[in-house]
Amino acid sequence: MDIQSPDKLIELLDRHAYLADEGLATAAFLALRMGRPLFLEGEAGVGKTELAKTLAALLKAPLIRLQCYEGLDAAQALYDWDFARQLLHLKAAEAAGVTDVSRLEGEIYDRRFLIARPLLKAIETQPSVLLVDEIDRADDEFEAFLLEVLSDFTISIPELGTIKAGTPPVVVVTSNRTREVHDALKRRCLYHWLEHPGFDREVAILLRRLPGCTETLAMQVARAAERLRQAGLVKPPGVAETLDWTEALLTLGAKELDPGRAAATLGAALKYREDVATVLGNGLLSHG
């Protein structure tokens, strides 16, 4: 898809119910045009992962997700051999009387026995959108390995040779900044920090994503979310939680945010007991 400008990208994202501001749209547009990974950093729930999903939808490309975690290594991200199927193949060959060792060795390391993990799958799938989610949860060693892969989108498999992407995937890397990601990886990417949306934008997001939501309810929930983000909570609600909270209220038939229903559905917005206690104890839901 030929996207001519950041404004055009804003329009296309909007068709998929993702409301991007000019800064984010410009960063994403440049990443697409320049073939560079897009590094998105910000609080959880501000729309980083959702942008990757939306880009995949508008580009009509599969989304391939690599969820990062502590201890993630290259083998889990790249590929693995299907040892069970290889063993079955050897047993079948033995039963058939095959004794040519060289032939068997070549057969068991055939491509059909290779399990493609997210990075290899993204390189082999064209077009594709590769989401490297929460890179800050992975170890430093994996960061260095990922930098190498993103530099040339080439993977070397000793038994098969080198696999290189004909058309590199669109890459979105996200971080919740639980730790600092090394500068080397950031330099390889185009960087954008996602803030929580302003009041008007959050209202627009709620109305766009939840057609049954009234403007009154959207404004009241957005205003309440704004207060919660200023209350020094362990985990303030992001846009994802605001959407969940509003959907919970709509499920109960609410047309506006009254303190009783707000308190009853607070678990959709806050995920820590301490935060719930702070909000209820300080009467933060009783404001208009």
Side-chain angles (χ1 to χ4, degrees), residues 13-273:
L13 290 170
D14 180 69
R15 291 180 191 175
H16 291 268
Y18 189 99
L19 304 185
D21 61 23
E22 185 179 359
L24 176 58
T26 300
F29 170 77
L30 291 173
L32 292 172
R33 274 300 181 90
M34 298 167 64
R36 298 278 295 278
L38 177 61
F39 191 104
L40 299 177
E41 202 166 41
E43 299 285 346
V46 294
K48 303 184 296 295
T49 299
E50 194 63 29
L51 176 66
K53 293 179 180 178
T54 308
L55 285 174
L58 70 87
L59 294 172
K60 295 182 173 60
L63 177 73
I64 299 171
R65 181 173 184 167
L66 173 60
Q67 181 62 51
C68 297
Y69 53 87
E70 187 177 352
L72 177 66
D73 62 26
Q76 293 161 315
L78 275 178
Y79 67 87
D80 207 350
W81 288 104
D82 191 337
F83 296 117
R85 288 189 63 208
Q86 286 174 319
L87 184 58
L88 286 173
H89 180 76
L90 288 175
K91 288 183 176 179
E94 183 182 2
V98 178
T99 57
D100 187 337
V101 176
S102 297
R103 172 188 162 186
L104 286 174
E105 186 176 338
E107 287 179 351
I108 64 170
Y109 286 110
D110 185 79
R111 179 64 182 81
R112 62 190 162 134
F113 296 120
L114 190 72
I115 302 172
R117 303 300 184 193
L119 292 181
L120 177 58
K121 194 178 295 183
I123 285 175
E124 289 188 316
T125 306
Q126 299 166 16
S128 66
V129 175
L130 171 63
L131 168 62
V132 183
D133 213 9
E134 299 184 328
I135 185 63
D136 52 316
R137 296 187 181 277
D139 302 323
D140 291 351
E141 293 78 7
F142 183 77
E143 253 189 69
F145 159 74
L146 180 64
L147 178 62
E148 182 181 344
V149 173
L150 296 183
S151 295
D152 55 12
F153 295 101
T154 299
I155 292 175
S156 179
I157 302 174
E159 299 86 354
L160 294 178
T162 298
I163 299 176
K164 184 175 177 62
T167 301
V170 174
V171 181
V172 178
V173 183
T174 75
S175 167
N176 294 337
R177 209 173 188 179
T178 57
R179 69 168 177 85
E180 286 295 336
V181 175
H182 289 189
D183 288 343
L185 181 58
K186 286 186 177 181
R187 283 198 302 269
R188 179 69 187 82
C189 307
L190 296 179
Y191 176 86
H192 187 78
W193 173 269
L194 263 73
E195 298 280 1
H196 289 292
F199 175 76
D200 290 340
R201 186 164 217 83
E202 189 148 29
V203 170
I205 291 171
L206 292 175
L207 293 174
R208 185 74 173 83
R209 296 294 294 271
L210 300 170
C213 183
T214 65
E215 187 170 353
T216 298
L217 180 60
M219 292 176 67
Q220 290 175 335
V221 171
R223 195 171 289 116
E226 203 171 52
R227 286 199 302 272
L228 297 183
R229 289 170 191 148
Q230 297 168 357
L233 302 180
V234 175
K235 171 60 179 70
V239 180
E241 287 75 28
T242 307
L243 284 164
D244 286 345
W245 195 12
T246 307
E247 187 175 0
L249 290 162
L250 290 171
T251 301
L252 294 176
K255 300 297 182 185
E256 57 182 34
L257 185 68
D258 62 83
R261 274 190 172 146
T265 55
L266 196 55
L270 302 179
K271 310 301 178 183
Y272 285 86
R273 179 172 176 268

